[in-house]
Amino acid sequence: MCVTAYDAPSASMADEAGVDLILVGDSVGNVVLGYEDTLPVTMEQMLHHVAAARRGCKRALLVADMPFGSFQVGTDEAVANGIALVKAGADAVKLEGPWEDAIRRLVQAGVPVLGHVGMTPQSHHVFGGFKVQGRGEAGESVLDAAKRIERSGAFAVVLELVPAELAKKITAALTIPTIGIGAGPHCDGEVQVFHDLLGLLPGEPFRHTRRFLDGRTKMVEALKAYASAVRDGSFPTDENAF
Ligand code: KIV
């Protein structure tokens, strides 16, 4: 099973929990950096977060997302950016969509690639929002994209926000593993966003996730307890002094 992480402490927690694959997702943009979506995320930001996650991840496979604009312009640029992410500490990269030449060239250069189809968030303007992809006949083009990614040499493929039946069909059709998110229970693996699982974000959780902890409430309570202890003089005490 897989989870995102964006820094050393979150990667080390995921590692200690026995997660197989840690993804330094470009979701760092909306989850950590406060952007509306992943589109503004740069290579420099990814390199910074990958290096930090690497320092916390000792065991799991560390995969770095290739941010928007880092692989679409040309395959030479895709290879250079993939290599830069590996030099920063990634074991592999993930890129959204069936960019066959880029995937082939990256693999040839020694950079393992995780594919990603369905609702690929970097294309949300094309989709007209963060909507389920591949309903009805449109499922064939998602299946075709997944097959092309497999043929290009990817070691696995993420299926995001697709109907469960389509995910089942794609999983049966491919020899490489599928990793679902909002794709139902029939994929080979599952990936979720760290902050969604631990309830670190305000608002209602997305339907495709589950809060295993109400982390934000607990953290705000702890910070309130700290603030009131300082204000009422009960912290720090002589025990905290040197
Ligand atoms: O960036 C990300 O977190 C992702 C996963 C949700 C698949 O791409």
Side-chain angles (χ1 to χ4, degrees):
M1 99 293 322
C2 324
V3 70
T4 66
Y6 313 102
D7 55 21
S10 57
S12 116
M13 283 188 261
D15 216 30
E16 196 177 321
V19 162
D20 304 305
L21 184 158
I22 295 176
L23 172 67
V24 186
D26 61 350
S27 52
V28 68
N30 35 301
V31 170
V32 172
L33 301 177
Y35 298 133
E36 288 288 310
D37 57 26
T38 58
L39 300 184
V41 176
T42 64
M43 269 300 294
E44 287 66 32
Q45 288 165 335
M46 287 306 300
L47 293 170
H48 177 79
H49 286 277
V50 168
R54 176 76 278 167
R55 292 188 280 271
C57 168
K58 306 287 176 228
R59 186 197 44 78
L61 187 82
L62 189 72
V63 180
D65 240 337
M66 298 199 65
F68 184 57
S70 70
F71 58 92
Q72 295 93 338
V73 177
T75 51
D76 286 347
E77 200 182 7
V79 173
N81 285 326
I83 288 174
L85 289 163
V86 169
K87 283 188 184 290
D91 299 313
V93 301
K94 173 168 85 58
L95 62 84
E96 296 186 6
W99 291 84
E100 295 160 272
D101 291 343
I103 296 171
R104 247 183 235 114
R105 289 273 320 276
L106 280 160
V107 174
Q108 194 181 25
V111 181
V113 177
L114 173 61
H116 188 165
V117 297
M119 202 293 293
T120 44
Q122 291 174 12
S123 302
H124 75 88
H125 288 310
V126 176
F127 300 144
F130 298 91
K131 299 173 181 167
V132 173
Q133 298 297 307
R135 283 206 163 107
E137 286 179 10
E140 281 310 306
S141 74
V142 181
L143 172 62
D144 179 60
K147 284 182 175 168
R148 282 157 56 198
I149 286 171
E150 173 174 66
R151 278 200 298 271
S152 306
F155 67 88
V157 62
V158 171
L159 310 181
E160 179 162 358
L161 285 193
V162 297
E165 277 310 304
L166 175 62
K168 193 175 179 180
K169 186 171 167 186
I170 296 174
T171 301
L174 299 188
T175 57
I176 57 172
T178 58
I179 302 173
I181 173 166
H186 307 297
C187 295
D188 297 302
E190 177 74 8
V191 60
Q192 288 280 330
V193 169
F194 186 92
H195 292 58
D196 289 338
L197 296 179
L198 301 183
L200 299 179
L201 301 173
E204 285 303 303
F206 298 114
R207 174 170 166 181
H208 69 258
T209 193
R210 181 188 293 175
R211 274 187 186 158
F212 289 86
L213 180 74
D214 189 1
R216 191 172 189 278
T217 306
K218 288 194 168 16
M219 288 162 96
V220 171
E221 274 166 12
L223 289 167
K224 280 184 181 165
Y226 160 66
S228 74
V230 172
R231 287 188 187 119
D232 69 18
S234 62
F235 177 83
T237 66
D238 287 340
E239 277 178 23
N240 308 111
F242 298 93

